[in-house]
Amino acid sequence: QVQVVESGGGSVQPGGSLRLSCAASGSIFSIRVMGWYRQAPGKQRELVALITIYGRTTHANSVKGRFTISRDNAKNTVFLQMNSLKPEDTAVYYCNAETTGGDYWGQGTQVTVSS
C-alpha cells in the first residue's frame, strides 16, 4: 500500500505563488499516476493536475498557464508550482496516488488566496 503526505500550503495575496509537495512512501512501484485535487467548502472535489509514470501531464483548464505539476522520481515526490494565484484557487489541496490496487489520498493542505 501507499502513503502520501502533502505540504507547502499557506496564505498568500492574489498574484502570489506557492509550491506544494507530495511525498509518497510504501509500495511506490505500484503507483501509475499521481495527481493534485482541490476542494472548496460546499463544492465538489476537482482535478487540478495529473502526472503519469511516463511523465505525461494533464492540467485543468482553470489552472493552465499558471500551475505546473512535476516530479522528482528519486525522492518519490510530486510538486505543484502555483503562480498567479487567484482568490478562486482557495481550497484544500489533496494529493492522490493511483495504484494497481487502489487510490490513496493525503490529508490535504490548505491554500488561501486573499487580500
Side-chain angles (χ1 to χ4, degrees):
Q1 295 188 333
V2 172
Q3 297 79 45
V4 293
V5 179
E6 308 99 328
S7 62
S11 297
V12 297
Q13 295 183 355
S17 297
L18 286 172
R19 190 175 79 152
L20 306 183
S21 299
C22 174
S25 61
S27 301
I28 58 173
F29 289 107
S30 69
I31 299 173
R32 295 293 174 264
V33 181
M34 295 193 71
W36 288 98
Y37 293 73
R38 66 187 182 186
Q39 187 168 27
K43 294 183 178 291
Q44 297 277 323
R45 186 172 297 185
E46 64 177 353
L47 172 69
V48 177
L50 296 172
I51 187 165
T52 74
I53 59 171
Y54 309 108
R56 295 196 300 267
T57 62
T58 299
H59 296 81
N61 288 335
S62 59
V63 306
K64 283 181 179 177
R66 300 188 298 120
F67 293 9
T68 303
I69 190 170
S70 61
R71 67 183 184 184
D72 184 338
N73 287 333
K75 297 181 174 65
N76 301 314
T77 301
V78 297
F79 306 95
L80 186 68
Q81 179 66 47
M82 304 186 295
N83 299 325
S84 302
L85 283 160
K86 304 174 180 179
E88 49 263 46
D89 296 318
T90 296
V92 177
Y93 284 70
Y94 296 91
C95 184
N96 172 257
E98 299 178 17
T99 76
T100 55
D103 295 343
Y104 298 88
W105 294 89
Q107 82 286 352
T109 185
Q110 177 72 46
V111 172
T112 301
V113 185
S114 66
S115 300

